[in-house]
Amino acid sequence: MKSKNNKLMYVSAAVLAAGAVAGVNTQNAHAAEVQKQADKNAAQKTIDQNQKDLTQTQDQLTKAQAEHDDAVRKTSDAQANVLTADSNNQSAQNVLENTQDQLKTAQDAQAKAQANYDASYENNVKSAQNDVNKANADVQTTQEQINVQNTKQAEALNTRQGQEDALKTNTETLNKTNEEISKTQGQVERAQKTYNDVNKDYQPVKAELDKQTKEVEDAQKAAQENAKELTQAQNDLKTAQDTANKAVETINNAQAKLNNDTEALNGAKIELSSKQKQSSDLTSQRDQVAKELQAAQTKMNTAKAELDADKDAVVNTMVMPQVYKDTVKKWSTRDHTDDYDKEMEAASWIGWTQNEYKHNEAEKNHMVDLKHMSRADQIELNKFGIDLINQLRTQIGVDPWIFNESALDFANAIADRYVKDDWDSDKDGHDSAAINELAHQYGLQSKMHRDGSFSKSGQYYENMMTDRFGQTEATYAQAKRMKADGSTQSLQELAYNVALSYNHSQDNYNNRLDDMDHLKNQVYNTVKRFAFNYNEWLHAYGILSQDFFNYSAKGKNYAAISFNVKPTKDKWGFDDMPIHVVNVHESQVLDPKVFNVNANIPLKDDKSALKKQYTDNLVLVNTLTPKKANLDNQINGLTNDIKGLNTRISDLTKSISDTNKSLTDAKATKADADKKITVLPGRVQELKDKQASLNEAQSKAEADLATYQAKNKDLLAQFNAAKANLDKLTAKLNDLNSAKSKAESAVAESKVNLDKATSELSAISSRLDELKAKLSTAKTIKEQADANLAKAKAAYDEYVSTHKDVIDNLNKANAELADKTKAYNEAKEDAAKTDKEYQAAQDELTKLNNHIEDLSTVITNYESKIKQLNTTINKQKADQKRAALDAQINKALDNVSAPKQAATTTTGVQAGTSSSVASVGAVSTTQRSEVLTNTVVRSNTASVLSPQTKKLVAQANASKNSLPQTGANDKLSVFAALAGLSLASLGLGSLVGDKKRKRN
């Protein structure tokens, strides 16, 4: 996609080429303007959307940061819960081990007592008792089975008797039914003969009777159909009259509604016009406020973008858990016992897990020479490290350290002495004598002996971390991965003691070159190790002014950090890189002329002007925003009113249309009803006359039928009686035959059931005889078992009386074993419970840590997105500004009028000069060739034409000359000049000044 600059270059070239632009008319220019406005609106819409996304992302970042901070605070409590749960679990495990030992002792004692006890006597009694129990059970079971069979036998006897009684009853019923069938069959035969005799005389009469009955039915049907038509005609007449009346009412109502709606419509249109004017006025006010708000917002965002520039860099923080602060405070007035070490170690571990260095990829390419470190690199590392320390000092409530030039010189001098002395800090600790000597040289308090020598036993200023050059401690996440991969070391040992190797070339290593990101990582870990160590906290108290270092909690502390690499290997064979953290309290400065307490270096850049710009415009934004919101609300209210009025106008317009249609329909309906009212009365009268004739015919047919029925009354009675008697006897005979069939089935079923009951009774008797024999045998066995049991009990009683001590010991051992088993089971349950609680607490801590890591990633993504959106918005606004310049140039060109005739003379146009116009050459025409000189305007305001340019345009308008070789007018010359103006203002200069163009 071409930029606006490229567009201007293209147009300028077109002016100098063939006259293809000569035919551009007003309509095309208008279309171009419309398109430009659409492009401008689209661009503004994109900017507004990006601004909205920026605000939303900033809100999301704030929310995520708050959630991150809340999770970090919760981690302290979670870690404390883990420690508590771990302690409870360990106690429960100890109890479990003790109860397990006691259980083992009780089991051994019980086994020994059991071995001294002769269980054969007791076993004989148990065996004899089992035999007795079995014999008793056999006797009881057999007796119960006999009882069951006796019950079944009684039931079977009752069943057989019942079946015998049923067979007798069913047989008697069958015999009676056969007798009744024989009697009824004779009656049916006699009744059939009587019916046949009467039926011969009845058939001719029946034929005539059927004929006359049909005539009556036909007459009745004709009368009924005519009556139905008469009723329908009368109903149609009434409906037509009702319809006509309703149509008149509808016409009257519709006309009244039409008048009301027309009046309401005119009122709504007047009100709509008023509301639209109010909305237009308020919209103009709102647009002005919005313009002012946008300008203030732009200035505020510009200032904020610059203020936030530092935020584009990776920000490292150091968080002090509440449990750490509480533990330090708790032991500040107590002697340090073993409990102190345990509690400080636990609190430090929480701090260790919560603080991790954030890498800066760009700084991995910034190599630092540790043997010849530049002052800029020293200052950058000092600002980084001292800021971390001050973060912790602020959180614990003490005054921050001050980065100082003299302190940095002092720290560098200490580092140089470590190199000069080839000091092995792993073996000898601090180079105290050198530090005291240098402190004396820098006008500071020092430890000195009476003979003028400097003390080797201690110093006031240095906290030191001896790192291995190029190596870095593992992160908490890396330690967890190593543990998960099967390391036998504890998580704490992995985190505190594992080192990661150097990752640059061997030449860089040999020359002691390391990247800035890694050095900051080592500084970060130095502060982290000082504060959150696992076995000593004197360095922590030194940098945090706690305990006996509390004299430096208030007042000014001048601080600096320096580095050196030991020239030779240390006693372990490593390349040491001591990091010297030096701080000097103001009370230790003896000679301010030597140690300059005023040569301080700010840790942060001063951006007060930007802050004022941001604050002033923030106030303006906060003022204009509610003002715009108020206008928006008023406009929205009017918009809703206008919308409501438009809806009302639409509804009224539709209502009027619908009412007109209803009026037309009602008039048509009345006309149709009036037509029916004219025709239907004649039809009603016609049907009434016909109904009288039909009624008379129906009466005659009914009378003839009645006369014929009376004449044959006796024959009809005889026929009906004979038929009724025959039907009755026939039905009775059918019922008796059905009853006979059922009785035969019942007799057969009774015989089968009787045979079955007899068979079951026989089987029960046989089983009863078998069980009685079995019962006799079981009673004999029971008597023998009772005798054996009595004998075994006598022998056991004798053993008990002669071995009482052995039995007492066994009973005591069994009771003790039961108690210890119960105690062991309870301890086991407690241990399982505390282990589960510990695991739950550990899982919660892991969950929080994972959540913190996830939120850190989210925060990084949001920060990256904010940076990208700021860049995009700034670029879009620059493009907008450039587009506005193009629009002004095109507008100026459109105002230049076209010449009305061709010129044949040469005309020179000379413009004046000013501070904004460098020169204006002559614009001339010839028959064969031309020299066209563009105007080069040096201006910082591309959107405003200078007076000289306006004069040039006016002179070109006045000219009547044209370019003969192209037919184009002087407007092209002015266009070229303005194109040059645009390009010059954008820093591109003149495109075609003093260049000749050959004729095409």
Side-chain angles (χ1 to χ4, degrees):
M1 179 178 179
K2 292 183 178 180
S3 70
K4 297 296 182 180
N5 289 349
N6 288 335
K7 178 181 177 184
L8 288 175
M9 292 171 67
Y10 175 79
V11 173
S12 299
V15 172
L16 298 177
V21 299
V24 177
N25 57 30
T26 304
Q27 182 177 359
N28 290 339
H30 176 68
E33 284 300 319
V34 172
Q35 182 60 43
K36 289 174 184 176
Q37 185 61 41
D39 292 343
K40 180 180 179 182
N41 294 341
Q44 185 60 48
K45 184 176 181 182
T46 302
I47 293 175
D48 292 343
Q49 182 59 47
N50 285 335
Q51 191 67 50
K52 181 178 179 182
D53 292 344
L54 175 61
T55 301
Q56 182 179 2
T57 306
Q58 288 170 335
D59 292 341
Q60 291 171 334
L61 173 61
T62 301
K63 182 178 179 182
Q65 188 65 56
E67 188 176 353
H68 176 275
D69 295 343
D70 183 59
V72 169
R73 287 191 294 272
K74 290 180 179 177
T75 305
S76 301
D77 295 335
Q79 182 65 44
N81 291 339
V82 169
L83 296 174
T84 301
D86 187 26
S87 176
N88 293 339
N89 186 39
Q90 189 61 47
S91 299
Q93 292 293 340
N94 293 337
V95 172
L96 179 61
E97 292 176 3
N98 292 336
T99 55
Q100 190 173 18
D101 292 341
Q102 293 173 4
L103 176 61
K104 180 65 170 58
T105 301
Q107 288 173 335
D108 293 342
Q110 194 274 342
K112 184 177 180 180
Q114 188 68 51
N116 294 330
Y117 175 69
D118 187 354
S120 62
Y121 294 96
E122 184 178 357
N123 292 337
N124 289 339
V125 172
K126 291 180 180 179
S127 177
Q129 185 64 57
N130 289 338
D131 291 342
V132 169
N133 293 342
K134 185 176 181 303
N136 287 334
D138 289 344
V139 170
Q140 183 178 354
T141 301
T142 305
Q143 184 62 57
E144 290 174 352
Q145 291 173 346
I146 289 173
N147 294 339
V148 170
Q149 292 303 317
N150 285 333
T151 301
K152 287 183 177 181
Q153 187 180 50
E155 292 174 351
L157 287 171
N158 291 334
T159 301
R160 186 178 67 176
Q161 184 61 48
Q163 294 304 326
E164 289 174 348
D165 294 342
L167 178 59
K168 180 180 178 182
T169 300
N170 291 334
T171 301
E172 290 174 352
T173 300
L174 178 60
N175 293 336
K176 289 180 181 179
T177 302
N178 285 331
E179 291 174 1
E180 189 69 21
I181 287 173
S182 177
K183 177 181 177 181
T184 304
Q185 281 177 339
Q187 294 173 343
V188 170
E189 291 172 358
R190 291 190 292 273
Q192 184 67 50
K193 184 176 182 303
T194 301
Y195 173 77
N196 292 339
D197 292 342
V198 174
N199 191 44
K200 289 178 182 179
D201 298 331
Y202 172 72
Q203 287 303 318
V205 175
K206 181 178 181 298
E208 182 62 26
L209 189 61
D210 290 343
K211 176 184 175 185
Q212 292 187 16
T213 300
K214 185 175 184 305
E215 291 174 353
V216 170
E217 290 174 351
D218 291 343
Q220 288 174 339
K221 182 177 180 183
Q224 289 172 354
E225 290 178 352
N226 188 78
K228 184 177 180 181
E229 290 182 24
L230 175 59
T231 301
Q232 182 63 45
Q234 290 172 330
N235 291 338
D236 289 345
L237 177 59
K238 184 177 184 305
T239 300
Q241 291 171 337
D242 292 342
T243 300
N245 294 333
K246 186 175 180 181
V248 170
E249 182 181 355
T250 301
I251 291 170
N252 293 333
N253 293 338
Q255 188 62 54
K257 187 173 188 302
L258 189 61
N259 296 336
N260 292 335
D261 285 351
T262 301
E263 183 180 354
L265 177 62
N266 294 332
K269 288 181 177 179
I270 293 172
E271 186 179 358
L272 175 63
S273 178
S274 174
K275 295 285 187 181
Q276 287 174 331
K277 185 177 184 309
Q278 293 179 47
S279 177
S280 177
D281 294 342
L282 288 173
T283 300
S284 298
Q285 296 179 39
R286 191 273 313 274
D287 291 344
Q288 181 60 34
V289 172
K291 182 178 180 181
E292 295 173 3
L293 177 61
Q294 180 62 40
Q297 185 75 53
T298 300
K299 292 179 181 179
M300 184 184 76
N301 291 339
T302 300
K304 189 174 189 302
E306 294 187 41
L307 288 171
D308 290 346
D310 291 341
K311 297 179 182 178
D312 293 339
V314 176
V315 178
N316 275 279
T317 57
M318 192 72 70
V319 178
M320 179 175 291
Q322 185 62 43
V323 65
Y324 186 95
K325 291 187 280 188
D326 293 342
T327 304
V328 170
K329 183 177 180 181
K330 172 182 175 181
W331 288 97
S332 62
T333 57
R334 303 185 184 183
D335 293 335
H336 292 179
T337 64
D338 290 342
D339 288 340
Y340 164 82
D341 292 335
K342 292 179 181 178
E343 292 181 20
M344 283 299 296
E345 181 181 352
S348 295
W349 175 242
I350 295 173
W352 188 277
T353 60
Q354 290 181 359
N355 291 282
E356 291 290 355
Y357 175 73
K358 296 178 183 177
H359 289 278
N360 187 323
E361 294 300 321
E363 292 184 344
K364 291 182 178 180
N365 298 319
H366 178 180
M367 299 303 291
V368 178
D369 184 350
L370 285 165
K371 292 191 294 185
H372 309 91
M373 190 181 298
S374 69
R375 192 69 166 184
D377 288 343
Q378 290 178 354
I379 291 174
E380 182 174 352
L381 287 166
N382 268 267
K383 286 184 175 181
F384 177 79
I386 295 173
D387 177 67
L388 291 174
I389 293 172
N390 282 344
Q391 290 180 38
L392 293 174
R393 290 179 66 86
T394 299
Q395 292 173 65
I396 208 166
V398 297
D399 290 347
W401 281 1
I402 299 170
F403 181 27
N404 179 271
E405 290 274 8
S406 293
L408 181 57
D409 293 339
F410 180 37
N412 286 335
I414 292 175
D416 291 342
R417 278 295 295 270
Y418 272 71
V419 173
K420 179 181 178 181
D421 296 343
D422 194 14
W423 191 262
D424 191 341
S425 56
D426 270 347
K427 181 178 69 174
D428 300 320
H430 296 277
D431 193 352
S432 296
I435 294 171
N436 284 315
E437 179 183 349
L438 292 169
H440 180 70
Q441 294 175 9
Y442 276 86
L444 303 176
Q445 179 182 356
S446 63
K447 297 183 69 175
M448 183 185 300
H449 299 303
R450 293 178 181 176
D451 61 359
S453 62
F454 295 97
S455 173
K456 299 180 180 180
S457 62
Q459 48 84 35
Y460 302 124
Y461 304 104
E462 178 187 72
N463 284 284
M464 181 178 63
M465 169 66 74
T466 302
D467 277 344
R468 311 303 182 198
F469 172 70
Q471 294 185 358
T472 311
E473 293 171 330
T475 65
Y476 181 50
Q478 289 168 334
K480 287 194 292 185
R481 284 198 295 272
M482 287 186 281
K483 184 63 179 176
D485 290 340
S487 174
T488 58
Q489 292 180 281
S490 69
L491 188 60
Q492 286 86 343
E493 289 174 336
L494 292 170
Y496 281 116
N497 298 325
V498 171
L500 305 178
S501 60
Y502 184 80
N503 64 348
H504 294 295
S505 68
Q506 186 62 43
D507 286 342
N508 284 345
Y509 184 89
N510 294 338
N511 292 317
R512 299 301 187 255
L513 301 179
D514 202 354
D515 63 83
M516 179 62 76
D517 176 69
H518 184 251
L519 288 174
K520 286 185 177 179
N521 192 356
Q522 288 181 293
V523 171
Y524 187 97
N525 287 347
T526 294
V527 178
K528 178 177 171 181
R529 170 76 75 166
F530 284 166
F532 306 119
N533 213 324
Y534 64 97
N535 61 359
E536 66 84 19
W537 295 275
L538 289 177
H539 292 86
Y541 294 162
I543 66 170
L544 300 178
S545 301
Q546 300 298 303
D547 211 313
F548 49 84
F549 296 97
N550 59 8
Y551 68 90
S552 61
K554 299 297 179 182
K556 296 179 180 179
N557 283 277
Y558 305 102
I561 302 172
S562 61
F563 305 78
N564 75 275
V565 179
K566 189 174 183 295
T568 62
K569 304 288 185 181
D570 66 10
K571 69 173 183 176
W572 307 108
F574 291 107
D575 293 317
D576 284 350
M577 187 189 77
I579 298 177
H580 312 273
V581 180
V582 173
N583 72 291
V584 178
H585 189 259
E586 59 183 342
S587 63
Q588 296 171 319
V589 179
L590 303 181
D591 189 350
K593 295 179 180 179
V594 179
F595 190 96
N596 187 352
V597 296
N598 296 316
N600 300 321
I601 303 173
L603 295 177
K604 303 291 182 182
D605 295 333
D606 181 19
K607 296 188 177 182
S608 57
L610 283 172
K611 290 178 181 178
K612 185 176 186 304
Q613 178 181 335
Y614 174 78
T615 304
D616 291 347
N617 284 281
L618 176 61
V619 171
L620 189 56
V621 167
N622 291 337
T623 302
L624 292 174
T625 298
K627 184 176 180 181
K628 179 179 177 295
N630 181 45
L631 289 169
D632 284 335
N633 289 336
Q634 294 183 58
I635 293 170
N636 289 337
L638 287 169
T639 301
N640 291 333
D641 291 344
I642 291 170
K643 182 178 179 182
L645 286 168
N646 281 324
T647 301
R648 177 163 171 72
I649 290 171
S650 177
D651 291 343
L652 287 169
T653 302
K654 183 177 183 303
S655 177
I656 290 171
S657 176
D658 293 343
T659 302
N660 278 323
K661 184 177 183 304
S662 298
L663 186 59
T664 301
D665 292 343
K667 288 179 179 179
T669 300
K670 183 177 183 303
D672 183 61
D674 289 342
K675 183 178 178 182
K676 290 180 180 179
I677 291 171
T678 302
V679 176
L680 284 172
R683 174 62 175 163
V684 170
Q685 187 59 48
E686 178 186 346
L687 290 171
K688 284 182 178 180
D689 295 340
K690 184 179 179 182
Q691 187 67 37
S693 175
L694 290 172
N695 289 340
E696 183 179 349
Q698 179 183 347
S699 298
K700 183 178 180 305
E702 289 174 347
D704 291 344
L705 177 60
T707 300
Y708 187 78
Q709 287 175 334
K711 179 180 177 182
N712 296 281
K713 174 177 150 184
D714 293 339
L715 178 61
L716 291 173
Q718 291 176 17
F719 175 77
N720 290 334
K723 187 176 186 302
N725 187 45
L726 177 61
D727 290 343
K728 176 181 178 183
L729 290 172
T730 301
K732 180 179 179 182
L733 181 60
N734 290 336
D735 291 341
L736 288 171
N737 285 327
S738 178
K740 177 184 177 182
S741 178
K742 291 181 180 179
E744 287 175 343
S745 297
V747 169
E749 184 180 356
S750 296
K751 289 180 179 180
V752 171
N753 290 339
L754 179 59
D755 292 341
K756 181 179 179 183
T758 302
S759 176
E760 290 178 352
L761 182 61
S762 176
I764 290 171
S765 297
S766 298
R767 176 61 177 159
L768 196 54
D769 292 340
E770 292 174 2
L771 289 173
K772 287 179 180 178
K774 183 179 179 182
L775 177 61
S776 178
T777 301
K779 287 181 178 179
T780 302
I781 294 173
K782 178 182 179 304
E783 292 173 356
Q784 182 62 43
D786 287 339
N788 292 338
L789 177 59
K791 183 177 179 182
K793 284 184 176 180
Y796 176 71
D797 290 341
E798 182 179 357
Y799 177 77
V800 169
S801 64
T802 56
H803 296 79
K804 188 175 183 302
D805 56 337
V806 174
I807 294 172
D808 290 343
N809 288 338
L810 179 59
N811 291 336
K812 182 178 179 182
N814 285 335
E816 183 69 16
L817 178 60
D819 291 341
K820 299 305 180 184
T821 300
K822 179 181 179 183
Y824 172 73
N825 291 334
E826 291 174 350
K828 189 174 181 181
E829 290 177 1
D830 289 342
K833 179 181 178 183
T834 55
D835 184 65
K836 184 177 180 181
E837 291 172 350
Y838 168 74
Q839 190 59 48
Q842 187 66 51
D843 291 344
E844 181 64 23
L845 178 60
T846 301
K847 181 180 178 182
L848 272 173
N849 285 327
N850 292 338
H851 186 48
I852 291 171
E853 291 180 8
D854 293 341
L855 286 172
S856 296
T857 302
V858 169
I859 289 170
T860 300
N861 292 338
Y862 283 149
E863 290 173 343
S864 175
K865 184 176 179 181
I866 290 171
K867 179 181 178 182
Q868 182 179 1
L869 284 169
N870 276 322
T871 301
T872 301
I873 291 170
N874 291 336
K875 182 179 182 302
Q876 289 171 333
K877 288 181 178 178
D879 291 343
Q880 239 184 1
K881 183 176 180 181
R882 186 171 295 165
L885 173 63
D886 294 344
Q888 184 181 1
I889 293 172
N890 292 331
K891 183 176 180 181
L893 292 175
D894 290 338
N895 290 331
V896 180
S897 61
K900 296 182 180 179
Q901 60 184 14
T904 58
T905 61
T906 300
T907 301
V909 181
Q910 181 66 43
T913 60
S914 73
S915 59
S916 62
V917 179
S919 65
V920 179
V923 180
S924 62
T925 61
T926 65
Q927 292 290 331
R928 290 296 180 182
S929 62
E930 68 167 351
V931 177
L932 179 63
T933 303
N934 276 348
T935 303
V936 182
V937 181
R938 317 288 183 185
S939 174
N940 292 326
T941 307
S943 61
V944 179
L945 294 177
S946 67
Q948 289 73 16
T949 305
K950 292 180 180 177
K951 181 177 180 182
L952 175 63
V953 173
Q955 291 172 343
N957 283 335
S959 174
K960 307 302 180 183
N961 299 318
S962 63
L963 300 178
Q965 75 272 30
T966 63
N969 55 45
D970 283 347
K971 180 177 180 180
L972 297 179
S973 299
V974 179
F975 188 95
L978 290 172
L981 177 152
S982 174
L983 295 169
S985 67
L986 295 173
L988 299 178
S990 174
L991 284 173
V992 293
D994 298 329
K995 291 187 178 179
K996 295 184 178 180
R997 183 188 66 183
K998 293 183 179 179
R999 179 173 177 270
N1000 291 333

